[in-house]
Amino acid sequence: MAPVAMSAAAQSIAGAKPLSFWLDDPGRPEALPALTGDEHCDLLVIGAGYSGLWTALLAKEREPERDVVLIEGRETGWAASGRNGGFCAASLTHGLPNGLERWPDEIKKLEELGARNLDAIEEAVARYGIDCEFERTGEIDVATQPHQLEELREWHQELERRGFGGVEFLDGDALRAHVDSPTFLGGLWDRRGVAMLNPAKLAWGLKQACLDLGVRIYENTRGLELARTGTGMAVRTPAGRVLARRVALGTNIFPSLVKRVRPYTVPVYDYALMTEPLTADQLAAIGWKNRQGLGDSANQFHYFRLSADNRILWGGYDAIYPYGGRLSAALDQRPETFLKLAGQFFACFPQLAGVRFTHAWGGAIDTCSRFSAFFGTAHQGRVAYAAGYTGLGVGATRFGADVMLDLLAGEETERTALEMVRSKPMPFPPEPLAWAGIELTKRSLARADDNGGHRDLWLRTMDRLGLGFDS
Ligand SMILES: Cc1cc2nc3c(=O)[nH]c(=O)nc-3n(C[C@H](O)[C@H](O)[C@H](O)COP(=O)(O)OP(=O)(O)OC[C@H]3O[C@@H](n4cnc5c(N)ncnc54)[C@H](O)[C@@H]3O)c2cc1C
């Protein structure tokens, strides 16, 4: 039998390394030694993703004398914080439409706090000299189907009516003058509300800033158990204990040390590819001049952006929920999704035929049923947690860190007064209901994409109940 020719998409991913492009960096810092013996501190932070790192950093900024320890089960930024798309959004609510739907009365405040939060990230990056390729380019939401274009146009009019500025409607020609794809029909450019950055370099830079302010960091040190002692908490680790007055949990989708928090999130695996660096001619062929991040507006959407060395990161589309919510390194690789993503990439940018992908990876997103973070305390206010960022945590985790510190201080602030902070999402039901509900939702969302955006009875019911599924 004659050998079957490999498709162009299969060829393009054939040599891709199975790991996050961002983490595959010679500048990746060595892990710090694990904790052995006992430690004492005012504040223990658990988890060295953005949540934990911002919490430790802001704690020191608020009160330089505070004794802060951070423990990380593996290495700083190895999980979602080192694998994401690097879209650092001002939105605290997984986008304005979601926030407007859920918290119409406080959305102005949430948007204002979000904008301040993004400005503060930009300032911190400059102040601590964090070389994370921060570029405040904004993001363009792209329509690739006529009904999406209509929706974007209507949404733009509504934004203007409600007084949300800074967003520009681009018709097909105007959009293709920014980035040229035959599939682009038009878009909305949020000029200031999103920055692009190198995710792993942000995590590593925050780690260094924490160390410079005197935070003691132990890596490969998993917190195994929380227990009350006197007026504080004791956290058991494999080779020691940390005795702390207060504990902040930045543990994202990993099993929370406060068990009752676990049903609020499910892991949803999201995947991305990174191309080789484009040549000047390739870049000219797609005319991507202003380096904005892009996302298309389907339910099953793609996000894509340029790296500092002019590669294209292309991610999204499939959102995979593993039965039982089990986390597994094996799920970080999904060849059928990579193949699908590569085919969709060349459909979007046929000018780039022949470009190869150098990296292919995935990671777990902490999805909750309202798509935006929730917060709370346990053990009589000695422990605070924040989780549920659902695919938009690069920026919002800094806000969540501030909320955790407010809660631990027992302070009423403009943040803790928010309904968004005081309320919780609906928890996910146990299996097999969670799996069945999520699969049904995913199928309905895919059907809606193929059917002019029409939402079926199931989706309309979920919408009415304020429940959903996203990545
Ligand atoms: C593929 C992908 C693409 C994404 N793209 C974007 C994007 O473009 N924009 C955006 O805004 N968001 C995006 N996200 C989401 C974003 O990455 C996350 O919201 C954010 O990184 C969450 O940060 P975190 O610190 O809460 O979690 P993580 O980065 O997951 O960190 C949690 C840390 O806690 C540690 N830990 C857990 N339990 C323990 C324990 N018991 N003891 C010690 N340590 C523990 C873990 O080892 C881990 O390092 C994406 C996510 C993925 C997976």
Side-chain angles (χ1 to χ4, degrees), residues 13-81:
I13 54 173
K17 288 192 197 177
L19 76 166
S20 158
F21 165 77
W22 311 114
L23 293 172
D24 184 22
D25 186 322
R28 184 175 181 161
E30 286 290 310
L32 294 164
L35 175 68
T36 49
D38 283 358
E39 253 289 10
H40 299 258
C41 57
D42 295 324
L43 174 67
L44 170 66
V45 180
I46 305 188
Y50 306 136
S51 292
L53 292 161
W54 281 117
T55 307
L57 190 71
L58 294 177
K60 278 298 211 183
E61 286 184 356
R62 285 185 185 199
E63 214 182 307
E65 300 313 311
R66 183 157 19 175
D67 196 21
V68 180
V69 166
L70 190 159
I71 61 171
E72 160 55 46
R74 289 181 56 174
E75 285 178 38
T76 297
W78 75 275
S81 297

Side-chain angles (χ1 to χ4, degrees), residues 271-273 302 314-317 337-345:
Y271 297 91
L273 300 173
H302 301 94
W314 176 263
Y317 197 76
T337 293
F338 297 143
L339 189 61
K340 205 185 294 175
L341 281 173
Q344 292 161 343
F345 174 85

Side-chain angles (χ1 to χ4, degrees), residues 267 321-327 431 435:
Y321 168 68
Y323 187 89
R326 90 201 127 87
L327 293 167
E431 298 295 10
W435 192 84

